[in-house]
Amino acid sequence: EAGVTQFPSHSVIEKGQTVTLRCDPISGHDNLYWYRRVMGKEIKFLLHFVKESKQDESGMPNNRFLAERTGGTYSTLKVQPAELEDSGVYFCASSQHSGGRGNEQFFGPGTRLTVL
Amino acid sequence: GDSVTQMEGPVTLSEEAFLTINCTYTATGYPSLFWYVQYPGEGLQLLLKATKADDKGSNKGFEATYRKETTSFHLEKGSVQVSDSAVYFCALSWGGTGGFKTIFGAGTRLFVKA
């Protein structure tokens, strides 16, 4: 079974440009999460989808970030316009529909974004 | 709010040395606790977990015990190998229908020398 995949693996853009990151969750996983690790600090939650709906977007830093999950399958995270402080590794994770204690989230390899 | 604090790295050990990476948490109630590992060039992988107080999670020779009284979840391994070199993240999350977000520590990089 394929795991969570993310594309691209690495993106280098200039300040002011737009970048779109993609995440394909494990098939059948209703829950999809985006996280970000900036400058070697802790991995921070950005937002959570249940199917195509945003369940929790409390971690989105500002309105330059837009996440979508049309059709409840893959998700995109767009940064427009990108700023230097957006550099970091963006992780996507997915989990099955049924919640419960210890429900495992499966993480993708991450996209490393570098804004110059 | 909820948070996770883990020891700063990097930690450098010789092969077969004993490993401890400290982790403490702040949370209301009793979350589930996790250790994730990120090997070079790879994504995060769940290493072990514990869902209630006094539970011990274990995997690949690593262990961690959920200590409610000290709000800790320290990671230990009796004899590390070069292949254990990676970044280790302590984390907590809450169960519930519809899924839940995970709160991570800053990560501890481990280097194991042959």
Side-chain angles (χ1 to χ4, degrees):
Chain A
E1 180 183 343
V4 176
T5 58
Q6 294 186 243
F7 182 83
S9 58
H10 194 180
S11 179
V12 181
I13 61 173
E14 293 188 351
K15 175 182 173 181
Q17 290 186 323
T18 297
V19 63
T20 300
L21 313 181
R22 173 170 170 145
C23 169
D24 286 79
I26 292 172
S27 177
H29 281 192
D30 289 340
N31 296 283
L32 187 149
Y33 309 80
W34 283 100
Y35 294 86
R36 177 173 74 168
R37 189 182 191 213
V38 173
M39 291 292 292
K41 295 185 179 179
E42 67 271 20
I43 300 170
K44 287 194 172 181
F45 168 82
L46 295 179
L47 87 159
H48 167 211
F49 283 100
V50 176
K51 296 184 179 179
E52 66 275 11
S53 299
K54 291 176 184 175
Q55 180 82 1
D56 180 355
E57 51 184 330
S58 61
M60 294 289 266
N62 52 61
N63 59 10
R64 294 186 294 103
F65 289 75
L66 175 64
E68 295 180 324
R69 192 183 182 196
T70 306
T73 55
Y74 70 92
S75 174
T76 57
L77 179 65
K78 179 188 289 187
V79 185
Q80 179 182 30
E83 298 290 344
L84 299 179
E85 63 265 25
D86 300 332
S87 296
V89 180
Y90 290 76
F91 291 101
C92 176
S94 71
S95 67
Q96 290 181 329
H97 169 71
S98 58
R101 297 185 66 79
N103 192 25
E104 180 177 356
Q105 294 182 19
F106 296 85
F107 282 81
T111 294
R112 180 174 296 278
L113 174 64
T114 302
V115 183
L116 302 176
Chain B
D2 298 346
S3 66
V4 175
T5 302
Q6 59 183 106
M7 63 188 290
E8 290 189 21
V11 174
T12 302
L13 297 173
S14 297
E15 207 165 23
E16 299 184 1
F18 184 86
L19 168 71
T20 299
I21 300 178
N22 291 334
C23 170
T24 57
Y25 67 90
T26 301
T28 304
Y30 306 111
S32 296
L33 302 175
F34 304 82
W35 277 99
Y36 284 86
V37 58
Q38 185 179 22
Y39 297 103
E42 299 184 15
L44 288 170
Q45 300 176 24
L46 178 64
L47 180 60
L48 54 83
K49 68 181 181 184
T51 59
K52 60 184 186 296
D54 299 324
D55 268 3
K56 177 185 284 187
S58 60
N59 185 26
K60 299 182 181 180
F62 290 89
E63 294 183 341
T65 301
Y66 191 136
R67 299 290 188 198
K68 181 178 64 175
E69 62 278 10
T70 54
T71 61
S72 64
F73 193 55
H74 305 321
L75 182 68
E76 296 183 337
K77 185 174 186 181
S79 176
V80 294
Q81 305 300 313
V82 172
S83 57
D84 293 327
S85 297
V87 182
Y88 293 81
F89 294 91
C90 186
L92 68 82
S93 65
W94 300 94
T97 57
F100 45 88
K101 65 184 178 184
T102 302
I103 297 172
F104 290 87
T108 302
R109 183 175 293 277
L110 170 67
F111 292 103
V112 180
K113 303 179 298 184

